[in-house]
Amino acid sequence: FEARGWDAEVTELVQRIAPTAEGDRAVQRLALMVQQTLRRTIPEVQVTAFASGGLCRGTAFGVAVPEVDIVVSVSPNVLAARLQNRSGHRSMGSDPPGGGGWSSTADRRLDARKLQKSAIRTFTDALVSAGGFKFRRSAFRGQEPKVTLLAPPLPGLSSDAIPVDFGVNNTGPLHNAALLLESGRMEIRARDLILLVKRWAKDRGICHAAKGHLSPYCWTLLAIYFLQVRPGCDGGPLLPELAGFQLASSLAAGTKKPTDDHAAPTPAPQPPKSRGPLGGARTEDKTTVGALFKEFVRFYRRTFDWRKEAVSLRLGVRSPPGKLLPIHIMVFDDGVTTEAAPNIEDPFDPTRNLGEGVSEDGFRRLHAEFARAEAFVGAPDGGSLSQLLEPWAPPAAPSSGEAPLEANED
């Protein structure tokens, strides 16, 4: 860093990694390029791109955890028909042989998920063969299946390939973008804290969901929740409960449990657009972003009860998991010891626990990194951001070898 001192270094870093208008225009060009390529396969597709950070700044695990999401929106009925025509036989997602419909809702949901994966594979083949993309890995075990691709460099923006996550009819990227934008509208320090937290989690290797860690979206939720319930703040919380997020709460109100998996999806999600400048402080509290990060670390290290509490932006207060939130139990390597995984309520679906994919090793690493961060931010000299963000290196693999970071998860 050119700056000196903790707060100055934090400010410099946030300015480097924040999304820019230039980057937003670039990802929309990328979305248009993808759409033109895929419409040769299925003309009805609509493509949207979301950038959750600056595109020109490389980071540790940049390919493993991309800053860009590309989402294809298309009716499942259209997908089933088009893929069936291409393959010459019944594709997953169409009615079963002999008609009469599927035997249960569970059958339809399973079939819809297979259709989604089939579409991702078909579109990936098209982008690799005709669009100049390179395949890196698939992650189909998560709540929203996707693949990671390397998009060709964009002239005028970057001479390097751009890592992107690619999915079909996924809603997570829109929700993440809405929360990030709206947090910044209400309180600029909220957006900056989210960016800093995600950068720290990425550099320290604890936000790669495919490896049993919390996803970048979960880290966004942890940062926002902390600002909702932040202890010891005389000026009140820096962010309200979800009802106070105009855009996000409207999206949550429009989220319904599907009763017909073959129904047409909502129109293609569009990146939320700012209706004004990023907001100033909502309270008289003038705590810096650097100081907020230190509080964030101490809150989840010392105050938050991971066993008994849930992260709920919907409520915006400290509380146990709601009755509708499923509890995920992790089983340790010994086959006997168990522990409840983090309870992180999806703000757009209170019945969905976003912490269910965390593994025992991922949970252990999470606590280890909070302990390490607490030691750095509590240093007498104020802490070194460069040392805090030193990229994590995995321990030496055993002779049998560990699955590489880019391993497929079909």
Side-chain angles (χ1 to χ4, degrees), residues 132-151:
F133 285 71
K134 295 181 179 179
F135 174 80
R136 292 301 292 168
R137 73 172 184 278
S138 62
F140 284 174
R141 296 177 186 171
Q143 294 171 328
E144 292 193 325
K146 61 186 178 181
V147 296
T148 298
L149 307 172
L150 291 180

Side-chain angles (χ1 to χ4, degrees), residues 34 37-43 45 72 74 78-87 89 91-92 114-131 133 135 138 140 147 149 166-168 410:
V34 171
T37 301
L38 297 186
R39 282 188 171 177
R40 301 169 194 165
T41 303
I42 297 183
V45 302
V72 175
V74 60
V78 171
L79 273 181
R82 292 289 187 181
L83 294 180
Q84 180 179 355
N85 290 338
R86 286 175 58 85
S87 63
H89 56 78
S91 66
M92 299 309 299
K114 290 181 178 179
L115 172 64
Q116 187 180 25
K117 293 178 181 179
S118 178
I120 292 174
R121 293 187 181 100
T122 298
F123 291 147
T124 298
D125 289 343
L127 291 173
V128 171
S129 62
F133 285 71
F135 174 80
S138 62
F140 284 174
V147 296
L149 307 172
F166 176 81
V168 175
D410 296 325

Side-chain angles (χ1 to χ4, degrees), residues 186-387:
M186 291 186 283
E187 170 57 73
I188 181 59
R189 291 172 295 174
R191 185 207 67 167
D192 293 349
L193 178 64
I194 292 169
L195 293 174
L196 178 57
V197 166
K198 294 201 313 184
R199 175 59 181 263
W200 164 70
K202 178 182 288 189
D203 283 356
R204 294 304 301 167
I206 53 173
C207 71
H208 188 198
K211 291 297 180 182
H213 302 289
L214 293 178
S215 68
Y217 179 45
C218 285
W219 286 105
T220 293
L221 300 184
L222 260 64
I224 293 175
Y225 179 73
F226 160 72
L227 295 175
Q228 292 175 322
V229 302
R230 179 176 164 230
C233 177
D234 296 334
L238 292 184
L239 291 177
E241 70 278 9
L242 187 66
F245 288 71
Q246 183 178 0
L247 175 58
S249 60
S250 66
L251 290 173
T255 301
K256 297 180 180 180
K257 285 289 186 180
T259 57
D260 181 0
D261 294 301
H262 296 280
T266 55
Q270 297 301 315
K273 297 179 180 179
S274 176
R275 293 191 289 266
L278 294 174
R282 299 180 70 249
T283 73
E284 295 302 317
D285 187 324
K286 301 300 180 183
T287 307
T288 65
V289 176
L292 286 173
F293 179 80
K294 294 181 179 182
E295 291 183 21
F296 168 87
V297 169
R298 295 187 184 108
F299 174 73
Y300 286 110
R301 167 69 173 156
R302 298 288 179 182
T303 305
F304 184 77
D305 190 330
W306 291 91
R307 293 183 177 182
K308 299 180 180 179
E309 297 185 62
V311 172
S312 174
L313 274 60
R314 177 177 56 88
L315 298 178
V317 296
R318 295 180 64 186
S319 63
K323 294 181 179 179
L324 298 178
L325 192 69
I327 305 300
H328 174 63
I329 303 298
M330 300 176 295
V331 180
F332 286 34
D333 291 339
D334 61 12
V336 177
T337 308
T338 61
E339 178 71 81
N343 295 304
I344 303 175
E345 180 186 283
D346 185 342
F348 304 91
D349 181 359
T351 68
R352 186 180 180 192
N353 188 344
L354 297 175
E356 69 178 14
V358 175
S359 66
E360 178 270 330
D361 182 66
F363 197 46
R364 178 180 53 78
R365 285 278 336 280
L366 178 146
H367 284 290
E369 288 300 329
F370 271 123
R372 176 182 180 274
E374 184 183 43
F376 275 104
V377 301
D381 61 357
S384 167
L385 186 58
S386 296
Q387 291 181 324

Side-chain angles (χ1 to χ4, degrees), residues 2-40:
E2 295 180 2
R4 292 293 180 267
W6 173 263
D7 285 327
E9 289 177 353
V10 167
T11 299
E12 180 181 336
L13 174 65
V14 169
Q15 290 173 348
R16 291 182 186 179
I17 64 178
T20 65
E22 179 186 18
D24 289 340
R25 289 191 294 269
V27 297
Q28 298 319 310
R29 296 203 326 260
L30 185 60
L32 180 60
M33 181 175 69
V34 171
Q35 181 169 280
Q36 291 171 340
T37 301
L38 297 186
R39 282 188 171 177
R40 301 169 194 165

Side-chain angles (χ1 to χ4, degrees), residues 165-185:
D165 278 338
F166 176 81
V168 175
N169 292 337
N170 290 348
T171 59
L174 172 63
H175 295 162
N176 181 72
L179 289 170
L180 179 62
L181 177 64
E182 205 159 11
S183 294
R185 285 183 189 160

